[in-house]
Amino acid sequence: MLADKTVQQITHPNLVNTFSDVEAMRSQLNVEGRFKATFEATKSALDIAILEPINVPFPKDAGGGYTHEVHKNNYKLMYDAGIIYQLTKQQKYADFVRDVLVKYAELYPKLSLHPERKSSNPGKLFWQGLNEAVWLVHTIQAYDAVLPALSAEDRQVIEQGALRPVALFLSEESPNTFNKVHNHGTWATCAVGMTGFVLGEDEWVEKSLYGLDKTGTGGFMRQLDELFSPEGYYNEGPYYQRYALMPFVTFAKAIENNQPERKIFEHRGQVLLKAIEATAQLSYAGLFFPINDAIKDKGIDTIELVHGVAIAYGVTKKAGLLGLAQQQNQIILTGDGLKVAKALDANLAQPYQFKTQLFGDGATGKDGAFAVLRTGSESDSSVVTFKATAQGLGHGHFDKLNLSFYDKGREILSDYGAARFLNVEAKFGGRYLPENETYAKQTVAHNTVVVDEISHFDADTDTGNMNHPEVTFFAESDKATIVSAEISTAYKGVKLARTIALIKDGDSDLILDIFDVESKSEHQYDLPFHYEGHFIQANFKYQPELESLTALGQANGYQHLWLKAQAQPKEGLAKLTWLNDNGRFYTLNTLNEEGGEVLFVTTGANDPDFNLRHDNAFILRVDGKRKHQFVSVIEAHGEYNPSKEYTLDSESLITSIEQQKQGSVNLVIIKRARAEDMILAYQTGSAITQSFVIDGQEYTLTKNIELF
Amino acid sequence: MLADKTVQQITHPNLVNTFSDVEAMRSQLNVEGRFKATFEATKSALDIAILEPINVPFPKDAGGGYTHEVHKNNYKLMYDAGIIYQLTKQQKYADFVRDVLVKYAELYPKLSLHPERKSSNPGKLFWQGLNEAVWLVHTIQAYDAVLPALSAEDRQVIEQGALRPVALFLSEESPNTFNKVHNHGTWATCAVGMTGFVLGEDEWVEKSLYGLDKTGTGGFMRQLDELFSPEGYYNEGPYYQRYALMPFVTFAKAIENNQPERKIFEHRGQVLLKAIEATAQLSYAGLFFPINDAIKDKGIDTIELVHGVAIAYGVTKKAGLLGLAQQQNQIILTGDGLKVAKALDANLAQPYQFKTQLFGDGATGKDGAFAVLRTGSESDSSVVTFKATAQGLGHGHFDKLNLSFYDKGREILSDYGAARFLNVEAKFGGRYLPENETYAKQTVAHNTVVVDEISHFDADTDTGNMNHPEVTFFAESDKATIVSAEISTAYKGVKLARTIALIKDGDSDLILDIFDVESKSEHQYDLPFHYEGHFIQANFKYQPELESLTALGQANGYQHLWLKAQAQPKEGLAKLTWLNDNGRFYTLNTLNEEGGEVLFVTTGANDPDFNLRHDNAFILRVDGKRKHQFVSVIEAHGEYNPSKEYTLDSESLITSIEQQKQGSVNLVIIKRARAEDMILAYQTGSAITQSFVIDGQEYTLTKNIELF
């Protein structure tokens, strides 16, 4: 009996936390600092929670409903109790996990598929098998932690009644999900693989790594090879990336602890570590870029990335990761969490460096890219994102070559994100709203060209999945970064090509945006700019709708836009100015051609349940054109400070925008009132030395891009 | 010559700062702490600014324009230079003030009235005489500070060319403003009175104190007696109160230093100190309640209140004021500023206590009142405000008995505030927008009853100024506070009476709102609730406008509302739920009678320049009624946490609201799902002991109000 116990103490826990992690953590419980504080807070909360009667209800409700939340709460409590048991060795915590699991062992064999199942991946305890996998990921870690304190009889009951049936349900009985190269598959393989480690089922581990048939066509290794690009970009975008990250880093850490010979963190050029860092990089002012089906409130303090950063720090010891951990302001009770806590206590943190970066998409990194252009390394330096990625599967939006802009802590040119109120029962059961399909995913909901009021790929995800843009140019220098991409498959017979440059010169932040559209037949081309803030003025006359509003169109998102005003500005520089909540003014300066129109729109039409926000956009429109170039400069200027009662530069400074080509040097000359002219010069080939002359003065370009 | 200089050193400065203040400040310049840091920051900024060429342009532009901003900047720089001269005794700072003032002495005699003058109070340097007075308030303090360092010739030039003419312009030549019992008058009397102290013109001081005819019908003392109520409430509301406060506290401090025998801070039961504290109390989460023509960004960190708090601390030494100073996070370079800085450095600050309070309005405090009901003493505890005040002159809104609600840091039931973009030239020259008259001031823009789509007093300010509501009841206890008021003059032949109670019981925050309307003839009664957040659901069917929107009405603000949906809910409890950005759900539960309607509206119709925000409201409507009672409970519930992915209690818990009267005990019984029933009992007479029985159980009320 003693021998058995000793063996158990050595081999459990051994998933994310090892026995030696636990010893290190226990040694810190009386040392003042972040780790001790977190331990005490977790223990206090747990001590209250475990006084409540154990509640393992028969599954009934969908996401956000009562039984759903109770089962979620149960796995979180078990997970905490497992850790607190290891840290305190107080039997009551192990007993709590045991008592809950015994209830699950009674319940689970009685269950058939969940009554509220909706997805192709149904669960039993939960409406989605996904949640069931998350349940097991947490629960198996709790079980691993308390196992040495349980009797053989209890272990038998729990394993036979709950752990094994859940693992089998998630693997053999849900082969499509388990084998799928998709984040639902990763959660399942992580859950089943870790259960394999704990129960000594090597076969389960193998199947988790290489698919049910163990050929590697499915399973964790395939997911690791395909779901992230070489730069660590996840095909569905950062909102899903942080969610997908959790089972990846959790299972990888368990593999590292159990089978270090796999060198899992070295795999594919350290792709997992790159994925963790990419998740952080894909954020602004702490929040993830809200591309695709993203809810805008999610950011780098999300628990998945707290785990990710801790594990990455455990592997790399990079001080910049501590800067992220500081922003996350949350410590986890793991061996790596302890390392982070101790390093933060010792003031070892360095500011995390946010970078201008091109994130290739797809397994090879060649399926287009997501470009992030930044004016500085702080989390709230100005940022332009340019979405030249692949479709991003079912959660992807039809927004090829989309531009977003962030400045002084806020969205300026925005992405609607997802139309969804997560877990709010009254809002379509908390699921993606119908308007997510009819508006948020549609092209017109984005800042990119719509041809003939039809969305890219005619809003067909399968077509989208088969096509992607090509990035044709990317360069950066001191004061300017630039990226170009094009796609000929978003519309049959129409080529879209866009070049975007972010310019930072002293206090001036400008975006140059050149959008070329080309076709052999005539079309209507719309370029919307969805802006955040209050409209201030236009430098042209417009016809506002005063007494009534009507919807702009019939379909493809246009049916959700109220037309508030329209204008036919004169040829030349048309200006639209708005004021953001950050106290800065922004002007869209665009070169208007004869016949060009500007529409002012607001979301909210054909929205019977008032599911949409009231967001504003300007739409630049040309009709009956084969070829068209939209040339715009988005300019940040001035300051509105009603608190201190001053207003500076509320008027745009730009007086002209001119393009030239000299040799293979592209030139954009921006003239401004009360400020120096700007000359942006770039060459898309290799960086050779070329001269050009403007207003009689000679300049020399030696790099790919330079601001003069 | 030496004797003369010595006398000057003793008697200058002697306005807000005295010679002994300066000595105290100088002794701290080498002591690490807030004062030294502020001194150094101010000096550094000034050192850069005084390198620029002196710029005293010929007046041309209105508020926000170039010359306007330059002249504002000049007085700020002179003010700083005066202080820094006193602290450093470096001649260059005195020279700077001299050089600027010599330019003004050259310019001023050439000026006639400002070309852009608009108001009844024109200026010469500025479009408004008000700004001219503010110029002199700052400039005379700068002059007082540097006077000992100036030659007699320079003094002669400056006094004759600038200071005396400006003082005379503001007094003898602008008698209406100078004698007016209004904040413009206070700025003028403060400017002229302080100039009188510095130039030894006792007559100017007397006129400033008692009006040009020195009878006391005008002047500072009259302003002090009439512009604040006994509780320190300023008739125009907190946005103007903080602005009006500045000349009051500045001149009072100068009077205290020059004529301590007046005991100015003791005057009228310390009304100035009460006014300073009232300004702070009239705020939520750091921002002033946006009643009347208020810009919503102004708050307790406004420089006027920084001066006010410092002066009040100098007089009272109350540690709670340091708590405010801490929130203001700004130190001023005055004797009182030094006291605040040293006390903060010594960690003497205590949290400032925000209170439930009835602020009587008018000189006697009997012209109605502004009620502030709070659930706690923190700056962001839940707050209900109830506006039963007098009109508040030209900046007053037609919003008798208006309700506002603030919770968890945000506006929940909101006031539009002013329609204005301060100093934004493109927005109507930065002045109040036309929509301020046509919408923001109108009754329908508020949360109070509109009869027959006409605003209170038919939107006539003069009529409004002659009438005010009466507060009929006010009581507080542990868990509930209550206030009632009524008015029969807002509409001819219609009496409006409203009772509002704020209830706090554990995590539950509720507002009871009973609005009685009574007339001998039939009318349409509308009760709008302007809510902040996203609509979630109604518990009744409504008819949304899908393809087009039309304006709700023709006039009185109704022309600015888009009608988005309408409903005729069944008799009984109608519920409307929204989600605020603070992550909490709110439900308006209202008892609907047969024939009652609910309209969903959004601002923005008939707004050709897009000056209005898009704010949402529900309007409860009954038509063809003599007498009606709107009974509602606004309920805060649940939590939406998309970051941590949980949603709690998104559905309202209230199942019924019932009113009873037993003896003279008013009873409101609120039943809730999964929570205890609430019984609110109150008696409006004196607090006698009375029993009542509900569901067979006997209760005893001993106070005016109690929650059971």
Side-chain angles (χ1 to χ4, degrees), chain A residues 13 43 62 153 198 313 324 353 403-404 557 649 676:
Chain A
K43 183 170 171 297
E153 295 73 24
V198 175
Y313 181 73
L324 275 183
Q353 299 292 305
L403 163 72
S404 296
D649 283 339
E676 284 183 4

Side-chain angles (χ1 to χ4, degrees), chain B residues 102-145:
Chain B
V102 165
K103 294 267 189 198
Y104 275 104
E106 284 166 17
L107 175 70
Y108 204 78
K110 298 176 194 155
L111 300 181
S112 47
L113 292 182
H114 193 281
E116 291 285 329
R117 65 188 175 278
K118 287 263 149 79
S119 71
S120 57
N121 172 18
K124 290 177 158 187
L125 284 171
F126 295 91
W127 66 324
Q128 291 193 97
L130 172 62
N131 300 100
E132 205 113 329
V134 178
W135 181 91
L136 187 56
V137 166
H138 287 79
T139 301
I140 194 62
Q141 292 183 75
Y143 184 70
D144 182 42

Side-chain angles (χ1 to χ4, degrees), chain A residues 515-526:
Chain A
F515 206 131
D516 284 291
V517 200
E518 197 174 346
S519 174
K520 286 181 178 151
S521 48
E522 290 185 353
H523 297 282
Q524 174 184 288
Y525 299 126
D526 282 353

Side-chain angles (χ1 to χ4, degrees), chain A residues 65-137:
Chain A
Y66 174 72
T67 65
H68 181 93
E69 293 300 324
V70 169
H71 288 299
K72 272 174 73 175
N73 193 45
N74 281 344
Y75 70 63
K76 287 179 187 163
L77 288 177
M78 285 193 284
Y79 176 85
D80 283 346
I83 286 170
I84 299 298
Y85 168 71
Q86 279 292 340
L87 296 184
T88 63
K89 288 286 151 97
Q90 290 181 30
Q91 185 66 28
K92 66 175 176 178
Y93 300 112
D95 290 350
F96 172 77
V97 175
R98 178 199 62 201
D99 294 347
V100 176
L101 282 177
V102 166
K103 293 269 188 194
Y104 275 103
E106 284 167 17
L107 175 70
Y108 203 78
K110 298 177 195 156
L111 300 182
S112 48
L113 291 182
H114 194 281
E116 292 285 328
R117 65 187 176 278
K118 287 264 148 77
S119 71
S120 58
N121 172 18
K124 289 178 160 183
L125 284 172
F126 295 92
W127 67 323
Q128 290 192 96
L130 172 62
N131 300 100
E132 203 114 332
V134 178
W135 181 91
L136 186 56
V137 167

Side-chain angles (χ1 to χ4, degrees), chain A residues 72 242 297-298 422 426-427 534-536 546-549 551 606 610 612 614 640 642-643 645 647, chain B residues 72 242 297-298 422 427 534-537 546-549 551 564 606 610 612 640 642-643 645 647:
Chain A
K72 272 174 73 175
R242 58 86 213 168
D297 313 71
K298 275 280 184 190
L422 194 73
K427 286 296 191 195
H534 198 115
F535 174 74
I536 296 293
L546 298 177
E547 295 284 341
S548 65
L549 294 183
N606 283 294
F610 301 111
L612 291 170
H614 292 171
Y640 179 63
S643 167
E645 301 205 350
T647 299
Chain B
K72 272 175 70 177
R242 59 86 214 167
D297 313 71
K298 274 281 184 187
L422 195 73
K427 287 297 190 194
H534 198 114
F535 174 74
I536 295 294
Q537 65 175 326
L546 299 177
E547 294 284 343
S548 65
L549 294 184
K564 289 169 54 189
N606 283 293
F610 301 112
L612 292 170
Y640 179 62
S643 166
E645 300 204 350
T647 298

Side-chain angles (χ1 to χ4, degrees), chain A residues 247-260:
Chain A
F248 272 109
V249 297
T250 301
F251 194 24
K253 185 76 191 178
I255 294 167
E256 180 75 3
N257 285 334
N258 283 277
Q259 302 177 334

